[in-house]
Amino acid sequence: MTDSIPATMDRRTLFSLIGKAAGTAVMYEAMTSLAYAAESTYKGPVDLKGALKGSSVLILGSGLAGMVAAYELRKAGYKVQILEYQNRSGGRNWSLYGGDVFTELGGATQNIAFDKGLYLNPGPWRIPHHHKGVLHYCKLLGVQLEPFVQVNYNAYAHSTKAFGGKPQRYRTVQADFDGYVAELLAKTVQQEKLAQPVTKEDQEILLQALRQWGALDKDYAYSKNLTSADRRGFDHPPGGGLDAQPTPTDPIALSDLLKSGLWRTIGTAHGYDVQTTLFQPVGGMGMIGRAFGRELDGVIRYNAKVTEIRQDQRGVTVSFVDSVAGGAVQTAHADWCVCTIPASVLSQIPITVGDKMQAAINSLPYAASAKVGLQMKRRFWEEDDGIYGGISYTDQPNSLIGYPSTDFFKPGKGVLLGAYTFGSNAVEYTAMSPQERIAKTVDYGANIHPQYRAEFETGAAVAWHRVPWTLGCAGSWTEAGRAAHYADLCAIDGRIVLAGEHASMIPAWQEGAILSSLDAIGRLHQRIVQG
């Protein structure tokens, strides 16, 4: 650690170092993996004035992108129809409840056995406060929201390779890491190794700031005392009467903390897309899709599997079959088409578009992801461990444990998000049967919460590359891929325009789907009215 502190530094270098110590390096790593930060450019409903009377638009897919397009176009006066592969609206805006049945690619079928009121969100599970498009439609449709707890300092950071596999409270890792970094920076300032642009007055102010930030003692050391214990916790907390005297805890040694790798978890909540406040729909994320479906009753044709998309100078004709009953091929026709089918599926459907759009569709891979929900007989994480909402992190393949941000103190059962994983871990999960995914997730979780063994009751597991209507979690753009194909993917090709999270700069987020849809129909409307 000390080797990473240069002998001299200017202001920018100094404050960059502080930012990295506080976790922004993790934030930028996450931003890079998604290509862009999850900011929203939503400025209100799109202006579609002057729609040509009788003009029709066929929309493929009733995810949020498709339903936003249908809602706004219909409001503007267009005739709209949606073809939807499934028997429900929402797409990846989806919650699994008791009584639901889900059959994945390969034929494995899960009969969800959660108790009434309990659910798993296989797709999105939180809404950032700055995702104004999602929030707008939730308000418009009367979808009730409640807080989503992202950070819980009483949750755990866990490594199988450190501290004998014993999980550490998130707060102790955060406090100790901040403390040691503050101590090292304070020593650097005291040794006057800063370049001249940082004045003596600035150094003194900075020292006081570091003492407060890192809970340092009067000698600018991070040590065992009541000040540091006020961050990381007490062996015996302050009480009343004769039991009032608190006793501090021993900080984890700096070397042990660095070698553990647990510091990787503490920067997660600094990412702009998960900074508080976040929200979730009461009753499950799928409540948004349900509300849109009610609003668009009669517009959506369900169980319609698209098999071909053809366009000519007169319009767009889409062939489809009943995804449940099969039977003869049917067709739907409109003047224009908004296609929100994921590129992973669309690349397998014959479509009349130019070479550039076809190449863009074919070039976009989809990220692997898996989620597992575990119903427990009692809410032991609250009753035994004092964890109310938030996330514990682990280096095991399940990656994290998400605690429900609802029904606090409610007696009885609850559903944990036992696994939410990406990359190679998700590929490993995808290769398993649903029952194996659930069993493995229980095994991993028991290393953090031993209560898993006795309290587990039933589960549900979704690996997104086995979801027939998506074949992956979300569009996984690379920087090179975006440069080569993004503009062509979003362009209007004749009478067809694409929309969805994959056609946005904030992929994998519902906000990206909504913004993409609004942009697409705005441009399509201009094309229509201009002739």
Side-chain angles (χ1 to χ4, degrees):
M1 174 65 78
T2 55
D3 291 341
S4 65
I5 301 177
T8 60
M9 64 182 81
D10 57 19
R11 287 177 184 268
R12 178 173 295 179
T13 304
L14 174 64
F15 293 116
S16 175
L17 179 59
I18 294 173
K20 290 179 181 178
T24 49
V26 180
M27 177 188 72
Y28 282 111
E29 181 180 354
M31 289 170 62
T32 300
S33 70
L34 291 178
Y36 293 87
E39 174 64 284
S40 173
T41 57
Y42 181 76
K43 295 180 176 63
V46 64
D47 184 1
L48 302 179
K49 294 178 182 177
L52 298 181
K53 186 176 180 180
S55 293
S56 59
V57 182
L58 185 61
I59 299 163
L60 308 182
S62 70
L64 292 196
M67 291 192 291
V68 164
Y71 176 86
E72 297 294 348
L73 289 168
R74 184 178 67 166
K75 184 174 69 173
Y78 289 96
K79 296 194 304 184
V80 298
Q81 181 183 16
I82 298 177
L83 298 182
E84 167 55 45
Y85 173 85
Q86 301 182 81
N87 63 357
R88 63 167 183 86
S89 58
R92 280 164 280 185
N93 178 278
W94 180 28
S95 298
L96 282 172
Y97 304 92
D100 287 348
V101 178
F102 169 56
T103 300
E104 66 180 35
L105 198 66
T109 298
Q110 297 177 68
N111 295 286
I112 311 303
F114 294 149
D115 279 27
K116 184 178 180 180
L118 302 180
Y119 58 86
L120 166 68
N121 293 319
W125 62 324
R126 54 198 170 182
I127 303 171
H129 71 275
H130 51 77
H131 281 194
K132 298 176 183 178
V134 180
L135 296 176
H136 164 77
Y137 286 104
C138 285
K139 183 177 181 180
L140 181 72
L141 299 170
V143 177
Q144 184 179 354
L145 301 178
E146 61 188 355
F148 174 93
V149 180
Q150 172 73 27
V151 180
N152 186 331
Y153 285 84
N154 210 36
Y156 291 110
H158 171 255
S159 171
T160 56
K161 306 175 185 67
F163 312 114
K166 182 180 178 180
Q168 306 296 305
R169 293 287 187 177
Y170 186 100
R171 66 170 177 270
T172 65
V173 178
Q174 176 85 64
D176 291 353
F177 189 78
D178 285 356
Y180 287 126
V181 170
E183 178 182 339
L184 291 170
L185 288 170
K187 289 178 179 178
T188 302
V189 173
Q190 287 176 310
Q191 292 170 7
E192 299 182 352
K193 292 183 178 179
L194 297 174
Q196 197 62 36
V198 181
T199 67
K200 181 66 174 178
E201 181 183 4
D202 286 344
Q203 291 181 28
E204 292 174 355
I205 295 172
L206 180 57
L207 280 171
Q208 296 305 313
L210 291 172
R211 175 184 282 168
Q212 192 279 332
W213 171 50
L216 306 183
D217 62 22
K218 61 182 180 61
D219 298 319
Y220 298 99
Y222 183 69
S223 59
K224 178 180 180 179
N225 54 49
L226 294 179
T227 302
S228 63
D230 196 47
R231 304 284 180 88
R232 70 186 319 280
F234 298 84
D235 273 338
H236 179 76
L242 296 178
D243 191 39
Q245 186 62 40
T247 56
T249 48
D250 288 301
I252 300 169
L254 175 58
S255 178
D256 292 339
L257 180 61
L258 295 178
K259 291 175 182 176
S260 75
L262 295 182
W263 46 267
R264 295 187 180 95
T265 67
I266 62 177
T268 303
H270 294 295
Y272 183 65
D273 52 352
V274 291
Q275 290 173 8
T276 54
T277 302
L278 293 96
F279 303 97
Q280 62 181 15
V282 175
M285 189 62 74
M287 291 297 177
I288 302 176
R290 287 186 178 187
F292 256 124
R294 289 192 297 270
E295 180 67 27
L296 296 171
D297 184 41
V299 172
I300 306 173
R301 178 161 186 165
Y302 295 105
N303 299 323
K305 179 182 179 181
V306 173
T307 59
E308 189 174 19
I309 305 167
R310 296 296 180 193
Q311 65 170 321
D312 56 29
Q313 294 181 347
R314 294 172 295 176
V316 180
T317 301
V318 175
S319 301
F320 64 96
V321 296
D322 190 305
S323 60
V324 176
V329 175
Q330 304 176 64
T331 60
H333 180 83
D335 301 321
W336 307 88
C337 177
V338 178
C339 179
T340 71
I341 297 173
S344 49
V345 176
L346 186 60
S347 62
Q348 303 178 39
I349 298 174
I351 180 172
T352 308
V353 292
D355 292 342
K356 289 184 177 181
M357 178 174 280
Q358 188 69 67
I361 294 169
N362 294 344
S363 70
L364 181 56
Y366 271 54
S369 180
K371 276 189 176 180
V372 178
L374 305 175
Q375 178 172 299
M376 300 296 180
K377 299 172 186 175
R378 65 183 182 93
R379 298 168 74 94
F380 60 80
W381 53 94
E382 297 177 1
E383 297 170 358
D384 301 349
D385 302 313
I387 299 175
Y388 298 89
I391 301 169
S392 287
Y393 299 93
T394 177
D395 64 349
Q396 301 175 114
N398 62 317
S399 298
L400 60 77
I401 298 171
Y403 306 96
S405 296
T406 188
D407 293 334
F408 295 141
F409 306 105
K410 184 178 180 180
K413 303 173 184 180
V415 170
L416 290 173
L417 177 59
Y420 184 17
T421 189
F422 288 86
S424 59
N425 289 332
V427 173
E428 179 182 331
Y429 262 82
T430 303
M432 303 177 191
S433 69
Q435 293 73 26
E436 289 172 331
R437 295 171 205 147
I438 293 167
K440 280 289 188 182
T441 301
V442 171
D443 289 341
Y444 298 139
N447 292 327
I448 299 172
H449 294 287
Q451 304 97 316
Y452 264 52
R453 302 288 187 200
E455 305 298 343
F456 169 70
E457 195 167 61
T458 187
V462 174
W464 278 94
H465 268 115
R466 289 189 175 273
V467 175
W469 38 271
T470 303
L471 302 179
C473 172
S476 184
W477 287 102
T478 63
E479 186 175 347
R482 278 190 183 276
H485 298 293
Y486 182 79
D488 295 328
L489 187 84
C490 297
I492 298 175
D493 186 301
R495 293 174 173 267
I496 297 173
V497 66
L498 309 186
E501 55 80 23
H502 56 290
S504 80
M505 291 293 186
I506 41 178
W509 289 95
Q510 296 176 110
E511 188 76 0
I514 289 174
L515 295 179
S516 168
S517 179
L518 294 175
D519 175 74
I521 63 175
R523 289 184 288 115
L524 185 65
H525 172 73
Q526 291 301 314
R527 172 72 63 88
I528 294 170
V529 297
Q530 290 172 6

